[in-house]
Amino acid sequence: MNRKVTKAIFPVAGLGTRFLPATKSVPKEIMTLVDKPLIQYAVDEARAAGIKEFIFVTSRGKGALEDYFDHAPQLENELRKKGKDALLEILKNTNMDSGEVAYMRQHKALGLGHAVWCARRLIGNEPFAVILPDDVIAAERPCLGQMVDAYAETGGNMVAAMEVRPDQTSSYGILDIDQDMGAVASVKGMVEKPAQEDAPSNLAVIGRYILNPSVLRTLNKLKSGAGGEIQLTDAIAAEIGEDRAGVYGYRFQGQRFDCGSKSGFLQATVAFGLARAELRDELHEYLESMLAYRNAAE
Ligand code: UTP
């Protein structure tokens, strides 16, 4: 199997109920960290990893997302007339060329596995990446790029993994490790959202994957798994076994923010704000004054 990864699926069809009422009309993926939508962080990371085809699995109400990646001639003309070259340059990153991007509709929110399956005809017989834009990862070398490098060595299927606290295992897919080689660990089982006492490890899967096309064929056959949704974890777990391609967990370097949750989103906003030279001092001062106020109140 060829190990060059040039296609990525971005499942963005979820309802985003944790952010209601905002997500009644604004797709979660368009919500911004400082001044960039979550989806732009995901696309930038994919580009840096060598991805050439961007496949979005969308649903009703996600029109803002399609518009976001389109050219905006009127806005661009105005900026050009005013000589705002820096802003024009920023907009360039948001424009997708024709043929580079595809939108596939998931008609019912039947889960992440189903969303990935919806894109099967655009993948064909080659490995592909899946990026969940809710998981934003701050890293010197972007996470997917790290994985693409590791995947070139291992082949098989690769999932991004990170250690979580034992009381958090019930929020994640958890890996049962076979051989631990440091950054890469081969996996002998995967359990979706186990209770602390049933978890085989505290190594959790987060939203970056490099998958073999046979996962799509497995998704085809799967009935609903845990929680009544078609689980991607179940289809990946089917890749484990003697005559199968295998699954590897990859401990990435970087800090992951769960921007699908309110507290994760707020933490990411602060962290990305502090990382910006033009905002750092003022934000820092403000945070200090808030803490001093809280300490005084206590
Ligand atoms: P989540 O589990 O975060 O679900 O999905 P959600 O609907 O986005 O948000 P909440 O839990 O209701 O607040 C993880 C990723 O999978 C996509 C989501 O868009 C998100 O990127 N997804 C989920 C789909 O594309 N389709 C689905 O049916 C479910």
Side-chain angles (χ1 to χ4, degrees):
M1 169 74 66
N2 144 37
R3 291 189 188 168
K4 206 163 159 47
V5 187
T6 60
K7 295 182 179 180
I9 301 176
F10 300 82
V12 291
L15 298 173
T17 54
R18 282 172 287 172
F19 281 95
L20 281 170
T23 43
K24 187 179 169 199
S25 67
V26 181
K28 178 173 64 175
E29 303 75 17
I30 286 290
M31 296 195 329
T32 55
L33 289 181
V34 188
D35 51 12
K36 243 171 35 167
L38 294 182
I39 192 69
Q40 181 76 53
Y41 288 91
V43 164
D44 289 348
E45 182 179 331
R47 260 195 217 289
I51 296 298
K52 302 278 183 265
E53 284 181 55
F54 302 80
I55 302 163
F56 297 95
V57 180
T58 66
S59 58
R60 176 176 293 276
K62 303 278 179 169
L65 215 138
E66 297 191 25
D67 289 345
Y68 176 80
F69 286 113
D70 210 349
H71 286 260
Q74 205 180 346
L75 174 63
E76 286 163 22
N77 279 341
E78 285 301 317
L79 293 175
R80 208 165 289 123
K81 266 197 262 167
K82 292 184 176 145
K84 306 238 172 197
D85 295 340
L87 288 177
L88 277 168
E89 199 53 38
I90 288 172
L91 280 190
K92 253 194 206 158
N93 283 336
T94 69
N95 294 341
M96 290 280 198
D97 286 338
S98 301
E100 197 184 31
V101 57
Y103 297 95
M104 191 50 88
R105 193 94 166 201
Q106 184 189 28
H107 291 99
K108 272 190 190 163
L110 292 176
L112 175 60
H114 181 261
V116 170
W117 175 82
C118 286
R120 66 199 179 282
R121 292 209 172 82
L122 296 173
I123 294 298
N125 197 32
E126 54 186 287
F128 61 98
V130 177
I131 298 190
L132 305 191
D134 293 11
D135 279 332
V136 176
I137 301 171
E140 216 162 281
R141 167 127 172 84
C143 178
L144 189 67
Q146 297 175 34
M147 290 173 70
V148 162
D149 291 348
Y151 173 79
E153 303 283 320
T154 62
N157 296 269
M158 183 165 278
V159 297
M162 69 174 207
E163 318 276 348
V164 296
R165 287 200 321 261
D167 63 315
Q168 295 175 322
T169 56
S170 61
S171 304
Y172 295 91
I174 299 292
L175 299 178
D176 191 356
I177 301 300
D178 185 15
Q179 259 192 306
D180 204 333
M181 297 158 274
V184 175
S186 68
V187 169
K188 62 178 178 211
M190 294 170 80
V191 193
E192 189 59 34
K193 302 188 170 71
Q196 181 171 347
E197 56 277 17
D198 301 326
S201 76
N202 67 339
L203 202 53
V205 177
I206 62 118
R208 304 286 183 277
Y209 310 79
I210 297 176
L211 301 176
N212 200 299
S214 56
V215 169
L216 298 171
R217 292 193 284 277
T218 307
L219 282 171
N220 239 343
K221 292 185 225 143
L222 273 186
K223 300 234 165 45
S224 291
E229 294 185 337
I230 298 174
Q231 300 292 343
L232 184 60
T233 306
D234 294 342
I236 300 174
E239 293 285 295
I240 301 167
E242 265 191 9
D243 53 345
R244 311 304 307 260
V247 176
Y248 299 89
Y250 180 78
R251 290 187 180 90
F252 57 93
Q253 301 281 324
Q255 191 182 359
R256 172 257 189 181
F257 295 92
D258 174 12
C259 291
S261 78
K262 283 177 229 183
S263 76
F265 190 88
L266 289 171
Q267 287 165 29
T269 300
V270 173
F272 280 77
L274 288 173
R276 295 277 281 264
E278 75 277 22
L279 299 173
R280 187 176 300 141
D281 292 346
E282 202 179 332
L283 184 54
H284 200 269
E285 206 174 298
Y286 174 71
L287 291 171
E288 268 183 347
S289 72
M290 287 295 282
L291 287 175
Y293 177 75
R294 202 182 100 166
N295 290 342
E298 279 171 1

